[in-house]
Every structure is written in C-alpha cells, then in structure tokens.
Amino acid sequence: MKYSRSGGPTATGPTAYFTGTVLIDGIRDPDEQTAIGCAHVRFTPGARTAWHHHPRGQTLYVTDGVGLVATRAGGVQEIRPGDVVYIEPGEEHWHGATADCFMAHVAMQEADDHGQVVTWLDHVSDEDYTAAQEARS
C-alpha cells in the first residue's frame, strides 16, 4: 500500500487550455505504480476546457454544480453531481460549467506508453459554447 498525503497547492488552469477561471487540485499523476492520473477541477460559470482528446479515454465524476460536456460530432450533455461520463479514447471533446452555474468534477485518465494523458487542441469559440448551452439535453 502507498499512502499520499493530500494538501498540494491549487493551480490555475492555463489559458492555453482553458477559457475562464478554472482551479485544479491534482490528486495523482501517472507513475511507475499506475498509469492513472486524476485531478479535481473546478470551473467558474462560463469556464471550459479547450477541445482535447485522451489516448486511453477519460472518466469524469461530477461533484458539484451544473456543467456541459460536448463532442466534436455534435453531442452535448448537461452534467450534474453524481453523473459519470466516459469519453472514448481519441474522442475530441470539451467540458466545463454552464453560463450561470459553477461546476466541479474529478477527471481520471490513463497515460499511454509514452506517458501522455491528453492532447490539447483549439479553444471552444464563444459561438460554439452558446450553441452548446442551447442544445444541451
């Protein structure tokens, strides 16, 4: 058994990968024991990730608030506390808060054989974000 004490510093999500204010508390990084990386991510209203994908997929567990997750193929889903979302390997997507509510989730992903957990792409435009707000199910 390996025990890791909590209490690392909260980081601000970099503007290269996020729109709006996003706060990230790392839970664990992939290492020699497991390829799983995990973080608790908090989005202020309107904040969101850029488009991205994961080589071995991603699981989101929503802890607070109301958010959105969308795929490049056009699917948009509203997410709430207790919801679990699995995103397929290589599936381009984004996730974040709705325009009027914060949202937090635990994001879990597995590193590939090269240690990579994510590939970041372009930012979600304000127009696409507004359209996702209107299309959410």
Side-chain angles (χ1 to χ4, degrees):
M1 177 184 299
K2 180 180 178 182
Y3 174 79
S4 299
R5 185 166 297 284
S6 66
T10 298
T12 301
T15 57
Y17 309 136
F18 298 94
T19 298
T21 302
V22 177
L23 302 172
I24 304 169
D25 286 303
I27 296 172
R28 73 163 339 278
D29 291 322
D31 60 19
E32 67 284 347
Q33 293 176 323
T34 178
I36 296 172
C38 186
H40 195 191
V41 186
R42 295 168 180 87
F43 298 82
T44 59
R48 56 201 181 263
T49 68
W51 289 101
H52 62 287
H53 59 84
H54 303 273
R56 295 205 170 141
Q58 182 179 48
T59 299
L60 305 176
Y61 173 70
V62 183
T63 59
D64 295 288
V66 182
L68 300 172
V69 61
T71 66
R72 196 73 91 164
V76 179
Q77 182 68 47
E78 183 176 280
I79 52 178
R80 295 178 171 270
D83 289 352
V84 177
V85 180
Y86 175 70
I87 298 124
E88 295 285 339
E91 185 173 32
E92 293 185 11
H93 68 285
W94 64 265
H95 34 100
T98 59
D100 57 357
C101 190
F102 78 97
M103 186 273 293
H105 62 50
V106 175
M108 298 162 273
Q109 51 280 321
E110 185 178 352
D112 65 13
D113 295 337
H114 306 287
Q116 184 174 351
V117 296
V118 63
T119 299
W120 292 102
L121 305 168
D122 52 306
H123 280 272
V124 176
S125 70
D126 289 341
E127 295 78 17
D128 286 345
Y129 179 74
T130 299
Q133 292 281 330
E134 295 167 0
R136 65 186 175 185
S137 54

